[in-house]
Amino acid sequence: MKIEVILTPPELPALARRDWRGATCVVFDILRATSTFIVALHNGADAVIPVAEMAGALEIRKAQPGVLLGGERDGVKITAAQSGGPAFDLGNSPREYTPQCVKTKTIVSSTTNGTRAFRACAAAPAVLAASFLNLDATARHIQDHPVENLLLICAGTRQEPALEDILAAGALCELLSMNSAVELPSDAAQIAMHSYAQVKTRLLTAICNSSNARRLLAIPELADDVPFCLQRDTHPVVAALDPAGRLRAIPRLPRPPFQKF
Ligand code: MLT
């Protein structure tokens, strides 16, 4: 298996011309889209539909009035003024997506970068959502379903790389390299792996200096999202896009954890 990493958002448009045969994509948006999606699915949501634009979310709500609208602009819940329709039901804090709120629900989510990253790789045969919260479960699933090419996508922030996404991609590369038959990872994957290896014993400190973390830490009601999203393997769910573009939990048997490093 060859591991590649998309480090920055400007690399995403080229994916439209990629030959996806034999490839699996893993999307990382640690602060906070994929962390939030994993919490929602772990807490019983039926599905999460990532859409790039707010208008797309409103169209789905019109057709399916029972869905919940979630997401953010500038980190905060989308208002009626921003959407041109109703205010969204939920922001993008994983702590909002409690079982009482999301159980059996479908959530339509529009965020700044995370949902766009999913749209960019929607043509891939398999697309997974990963975070630190479900990293081990995701690694185990990939090991159990080997592919030729594994493409890790770091969603980033606007047009900039996001440190936390790259570190999470590096952590997954490290897990897989220790447990699977992995060819020499691409240079971008090695950048992610070496970056993670440098800071893995002080991850919170390192990530608190990232632009996304600093933005969230400056908003009192969102500050706790940063340590929350850096918890390891607290939400062991494997999440994959289905053919209809809905992120759903893949049923899985409890498995022993990967060897921790
Ligand atoms: C994103 O999609 O860029 C992030 O998830 C934004 C956020 O949650 O604040």
Side-chain angles (χ1 to χ4, degrees), residues 29-34 36 72-76 92-93 110-116 155-158 212 215-216 222:
D29 186 333
I30 299 303
L31 295 175
R32 300 160 290 173
T34 56
T36 295
E72 57 69 43
R73 290 294 182 273
D74 299 319
V76 178
N92 203 32
S93 170
S110 174
T111 69
T112 310
N113 276 62
T115 51
R116 285 175 173 74
T157 304
R158 295 189 176 78
N212 264 336
R215 170 176 59 86
L216 293 169
L222 300 182

Side-chain angles (χ1 to χ4, degrees), residues 72-109:
E72 57 69 43
R73 290 294 182 273
D74 299 319
V76 178
K77 184 165 78 171
I78 293 168
T79 64
Q82 286 170 313
S83 78
F88 277 31
D89 304 297
L90 296 162
N92 203 32
S93 170
R95 295 175 293 127
E96 297 177 73
Y97 292 67
T98 61
Q100 298 75 8
C101 176
V102 302
K103 203 165 178 56
T104 74
K105 294 285 188 181
T106 291
I107 295 133
V108 184
S109 176

